[in-house]
Amino acid sequence: MIPVGLPAGIVQVSAVWERAAADSRGVVPIAHGAGTQLDHPFLIGFARALRDDGFSTVRFNFPYSEAGRRMPGPAAHAILTWRAVVERIRADAPGAPVFVCGKSYGGRMASMAVAEGLDVDALVYLGYPLHPPGKPEKPRVEHLPAVSPPQLFVEGTKDPFVQPLSQLEAAVASCQDARIAWFEGGGHSFEVKGRKRPADEVGASVAPAVTAFLLEAAAR
């Protein structure tokens, strides 16, 4: 459990720290998307693949999901949670690079935390929710140019949260240091129409692109 100081007091959120079998190349805290928790099969498969590549992982809940709710709480609570998680990692693994990663909502909350000063080595977004589906006129991008560490947007080309794709490309171009890894035919959770795969297998399939990015970021 990790304590998170919220305006109403301290709450405890569940966290699963799994260390890489070999020498760790860094620690990757992984946040879930809205409506799920740390034990979602996609995240489990993704984290396992990262550990196979030498990264330790920390999956964790946000306070609202810890309380059993599906609808996210205030963004400020998620940002405070990200701060608490990174603080715990830096205390328990001093000197290790910290690469924050989040699925959809969890990634957007990470970007907001870093834009507000959270110190990390790189960020990875698994299906960044650029705008609500069908509402490209409501982009969630105003804070992204303030993010200084390297950013990787891992996106499916059929994801309704990033249509039209050119809008995401323009948002990424406005960032200080960012790139996109496109997954052809992938939806918001990287599912491909007509190709049934278990969610943990889908999660593992996006890990190679993330590993390549993190190794490059760590080498800078």
Side-chain angles (χ1 to χ4, degrees), residues 22-172:
D23 290 342
S24 177
R25 290 170 159 171
V27 184
V28 184
I30 305 169
H32 59 77
T36 66
Q37 293 186 327
L38 62 79
D39 58 356
H40 192 281
F42 177 96
L43 299 185
I44 292 174
F46 174 70
R48 182 172 60 244
L50 286 187
R51 291 194 303 278
D52 289 343
D53 288 338
F55 297 93
S56 294
T57 61
V58 181
R59 290 176 289 117
F60 66 93
N61 283 338
F62 288 112
Y64 79 90
S65 61
E66 188 72 26
R69 297 189 296 272
R70 291 184 60 83
M71 290 299 294
H77 291 189
I79 292 171
L80 289 169
T81 305
W82 264 116
R83 289 187 175 277
V85 170
V86 171
E87 181 179 338
R88 171 62 68 86
I89 291 170
R90 296 222 183 269
D92 291 353
V98 178
F99 308 109
V100 300
C101 177
K103 177 70 180 76
S104 191
Y105 166 85
R108 185 166 72 95
M109 295 299 103
S111 68
M112 293 173 67
V114 174
E116 293 184 9
L118 179 63
D119 181 24
V120 301
D121 294 277
L123 301 90
V124 175
Y125 313 116
L126 305 176
Y128 187 89
L130 183 68
H131 56 70
K135 297 182 178 180
E137 72 279 5
K138 295 183 177 182
R140 301 152 169 163
V141 298
E142 62 279 352
H143 64 287
L144 290 177
V147 176
S148 57
Q151 302 173 82
L152 176 66
F153 292 75
V154 185
E155 304 289 344
T157 59
K158 299 298 184 180
D159 184 350
F161 287 81
V162 295
Q163 304 297 331
L165 303 183
S166 59
Q167 187 175 14
L168 178 64
E169 292 171 335
V172 170

Side-chain angles (χ1 to χ4, degrees), residues 155-158 182-186 192:
E155 304 289 344
T157 59
K158 299 298 184 180
W182 291 114
F183 277 72
E184 186 62 38
V192 177

